[in-house]
């Protein structure tokens, strides 16, 4: 019965996606067989105590765009995903590597947009039970897809993020400054609403607390002017940037998604101190799911080939030391941020 139910849902999903004319039909088709018979791989590790007693900045990438960031005593969770299946039928290749019940503290949940791999109802329901009343911030336009969770629901006014300065009004949440910023993406949730009606409701975030600034891109296409402007306004310590899905990962990205090359360009346009690639390896998109990060490694090895516009002295060493590629569930603790000790900023 369970297999029949999943097959029925998949057939309805394919009919819906066939009306969108987008790459999601190909993604769904490739996932049908896996969705019927396979389960996600078990995560290689899950940190049992991800919230530390004393840390300046740490980041745990759990898979897809789910990132747990700690800045001093503040803990922020971006785009939490918990289900092993998107829409109940499209399987994750690997389960999300975060034990939600291990979060002894949580100060803010940030949702970048309402697509199903970013706005996950089961994750938010569990968090609303374990951390009732925690602030949940989301972009204007996503409220139509937001159930009434037992959370402090904060709708961010994002209009300013699509004007010349690419930033909206800053909101103070639990002592954390949250600034919605430009993203080139789309809202909606079900495919047909996203592509046929151009539903609003998407953004990136600048998170500031004490002397640390973190940029979370959500999903976005590449816009050089926008990211250079954001980099002028903020001194970004850590940038969490999506690297796919992409067909030609060393070239121009797909519709509303940065390729691996463009993700590296976002990092350099921002003049951020560190980067963690996200949004790859979890879903079967357009071929090898690890290709986006494989290409990131190629770019780091030969920046003169791919990043000639940014061919600063010391760029290769800088990328080697500053782009942190994490395994599912891996947590990186940053020991220093104010001045790079081994390699100076090349720009």
């Amino acid at each position: 019965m369970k297999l029949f139910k999943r097959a029925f849902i998949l057939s309805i999903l394919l009919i819906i996606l066939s009306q969108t004319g987008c790459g999601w039909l190909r993604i769904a088709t490739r996932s049908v067989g896996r969705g019927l018979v396979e389960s996600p791989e078990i995560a290689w590790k899950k940190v049992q105590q991800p919230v530390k007693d004393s840390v300046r900045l740490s980041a745990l990438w759990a898979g897809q765009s789910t990132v747990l960031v700690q800045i001093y005593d503040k803990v922020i969770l971006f785009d939490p995903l918990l289900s092993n299946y998107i829409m109940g039928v499209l399987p994750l290749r690997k389960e999300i590597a975060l034990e939600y019940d291990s979060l002894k503290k949580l100060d803010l949940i940030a949702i970048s947009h309402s697509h199903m791999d970013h706005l996950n109802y089961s994750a938010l329901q569990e968090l609303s039970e374990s951390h009732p009343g925690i602030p949940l911030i989301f972009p204007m336009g996503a409220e139509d897809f937001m159930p009434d969770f037992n959370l402090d629901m904060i709708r961010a006014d994002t209009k300013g993020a699509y004007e010349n300065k690419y930033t909206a009004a800053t909101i103070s949440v639990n002592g954390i400054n949250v600034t919605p910023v430009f993203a080139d993406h789309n809202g909606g949730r079900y495919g047909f609403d996203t592509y046929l009606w151009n539903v609003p409701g998407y953004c990136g975030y600048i998170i500031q607390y004490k002397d640390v600034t973190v940029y979370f891109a959500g999903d976005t296409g590449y816009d050089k002017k926008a990211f250079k402007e954001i980099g002028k306004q903020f001194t970004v310590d850590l940038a969490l940037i999506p690297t796919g899905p992409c067909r030609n990962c060393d070239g121009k990205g797909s519709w509303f998604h940065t390729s691996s090359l463009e993700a590296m360009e976002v990092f350099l346009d921002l003049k951020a101190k560190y980067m963690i690639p996200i949004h790859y390896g979890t879903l079967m998109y357009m071929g090898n799911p690890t290709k986006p990060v494989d290409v990131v490694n190629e770019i780091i090895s030969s920046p003169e080939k791919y990043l000639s516009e940014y061919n600063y002295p010391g760029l290769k060493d800088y990328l080697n030391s500053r782009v942190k590629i994490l395994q599912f569930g891996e947590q990186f603790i940053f020991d220093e941020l104010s001045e790079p000790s081994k390699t100076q900023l090349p720009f």
Side-chain angles (χ1 to χ4, degrees), residues 158-267:
T158 57
K159 290 193 295 291
Y162 301 96
E163 298 172 355
N164 289 337
K165 291 192 175 181
Y166 301 103
T167 59
T170 299
I171 304 168
S172 183
V173 183
N174 273 349
I176 305 164
N177 285 336
V178 182
T179 305
V181 296
F182 170 90
D184 185 3
H185 201 55
N186 41 44
R189 184 164 178 82
Y190 303 107
F192 56 87
D193 55 354
T194 295
Y195 293 98
L196 297 182
W197 299 327
N198 193 27
V199 177
Y202 50 92
C203 69
Y205 291 108
I206 290 285
I207 303 294
Q208 295 173 294
Y209 181 62
K210 294 188 176 181
D211 59 345
V212 174
T213 300
V214 173
Y215 166 68
F216 178 75
D219 277 356
T220 183
Y222 182 58
D223 185 307
K224 180 179 292 292
K225 182 179 179 182
F227 295 117
K228 281 184 174 291
E229 180 60 34
I230 293 170
K232 290 177 183 177
Q233 295 184 50
F234 302 96
T235 300
V236 177
D237 294 301
L238 172 62
L240 305 165
I241 305 175
T243 57
C246 49
R247 293 186 185 88
N248 303 310
C249 294
D250 59 355
K252 184 175 177 58
S254 60
W255 196 15
F256 298 136
H257 291 94
T258 48
S259 65
S260 305
L261 175 60
E262 290 174 332
M264 299 295 283
E265 291 176 327
V266 172
F267 171 53

Side-chain angles (χ1 to χ4, degrees), residues 51-85:
V51 179
K52 310 302 183 185
D53 290 331
S54 179
V55 66
R56 184 171 180 232
L57 174 64
S58 71
L60 188 157
W61 180 55
Q64 197 65 355
S65 296
T66 302
V67 187
L68 182 74
V69 170
Q70 182 176 351
I71 308 173
Y72 292 101
D73 60 321
K74 300 298 184 183
V75 181
I76 303 104
L77 182 58
F78 294 101
D79 286 356
L81 186 60
L82 182 61
S83 301
N84 286 332
Y85 294 88

Side-chain angles (χ1 to χ4, degrees), residues 8-300:
F8 175 75
I9 297 174
L10 275 169
S11 65
I12 298 300
L13 172 64
L14 291 176
I15 292 171
I16 293 173
L17 291 176
S18 69
Q19 306 306 309
T20 68
C22 70
W24 278 103
L25 177 59
R26 292 185 293 276
I27 295 166
T29 302
R30 286 176 178 156
S31 300
V32 166
R34 293 186 62 245
L36 292 173
V37 299
E38 296 184 19
S39 297
E41 296 177 22
I42 301 299
W44 73 282
K45 67 181 291 187
K46 291 186 179 181
V47 177
Q48 297 303 308
Q49 295 182 322
V51 179
K52 310 302 183 185
D53 290 331
S54 179
V55 66
R56 184 171 180 232
L57 174 64
S58 71
L60 188 157
W61 180 55
Q64 197 65 355
S65 296
T66 302
V67 187
L68 182 74
V69 170
Q70 182 176 351
I71 308 173
Y72 292 101
D73 60 321
K74 300 298 184 183
V75 181
I76 303 104
L77 182 58
F78 294 101
D79 286 356
L81 186 60
L82 182 61
S83 301
N84 286 332
Y85 294 88
I86 302 299
M87 297 184 77
V89 290
L90 300 182
L92 303 188
R93 291 182 58 256
K94 296 183 179 181
E95 67 176 2
I96 295 299
L98 176 63
E99 295 284 5
Y100 282 68
D101 58 6
S102 69
L103 299 178
K104 64 181 181 181
K105 186 180 192 300
L106 190 59
D107 296 283
L108 176 65
I109 304 166
I111 301 294
S112 63
H113 60 294
S114 52
H115 292 173
M116 292 190 180
D117 56 329
H118 297 262
L119 171 57
N120 180 248
Y121 293 154
S122 58
L124 294 182
Q125 181 59 42
E126 179 162 327
L127 290 167
S128 71
E129 294 171 1
S130 60
H131 299 276
I134 291 296
L136 167 67
I137 191 167
F138 57 89
M140 180 176 61
E143 63 272 12
D144 292 338
F145 308 99
M146 197 72 68
D148 189 18
F149 297 107
N150 186 21
L151 299 166
D152 180 10
M153 312 288 279
I154 302 172
R155 187 184 75 162
D157 184 346
T158 57
K159 290 193 295 291
Y162 301 96
E163 298 172 355
N164 289 337
K165 291 192 175 181
Y166 301 103
T167 59
T170 299
I171 304 168
S172 183
V173 183
N174 273 349
I176 305 164
N177 285 336
V178 182
T179 305
V181 296
F182 170 90
D184 185 3
H185 201 55
N186 41 44
R189 184 164 178 82
Y190 303 107
F192 56 87
D193 55 354
T194 295
Y195 293 98
L196 297 182
W197 299 327
N198 193 27
V199 177
Y202 50 92
C203 69
Y205 291 108
I206 290 285
I207 303 294
Q208 295 173 294
Y209 181 62
K210 294 188 176 181
D211 59 345
V212 174
T213 300
V214 173
Y215 166 68
F216 178 75
D219 277 356
T220 183
Y222 182 58
D223 185 307
K224 180 179 292 292
K225 182 179 179 182
F227 295 117
K228 281 184 174 291
E229 180 60 34
I230 293 170
K232 290 177 183 177
Q233 295 184 50
F234 302 96
T235 300
V236 177
D237 294 301
L238 172 62
L240 305 165
I241 305 175
T243 57
C246 49
R247 293 186 185 88
N248 303 310
C249 294
D250 59 355
K252 184 175 177 58
S254 60
W255 196 15
F256 298 136
H257 291 94
T258 48
S259 65
S260 305
L261 175 60
E262 290 174 332
M264 299 295 283
E265 291 176 327
V266 172
F267 171 53
L268 294 173
D269 290 343
L270 291 170
K271 297 187 177 181
K273 295 177 184 176
Y274 287 92
M275 169 187 170
I276 293 176
I278 60 174
H279 205 265
Y280 70 91
T282 315
L283 288 167
M284 183 64 73
Y285 282 121
M286 303 169 184
N288 181 354
T290 65
K291 183 180 179 181
V293 78
D294 294 338
V295 173
V296 167
N297 277 317
E298 292 176 15
I299 295 169
I300 293 172

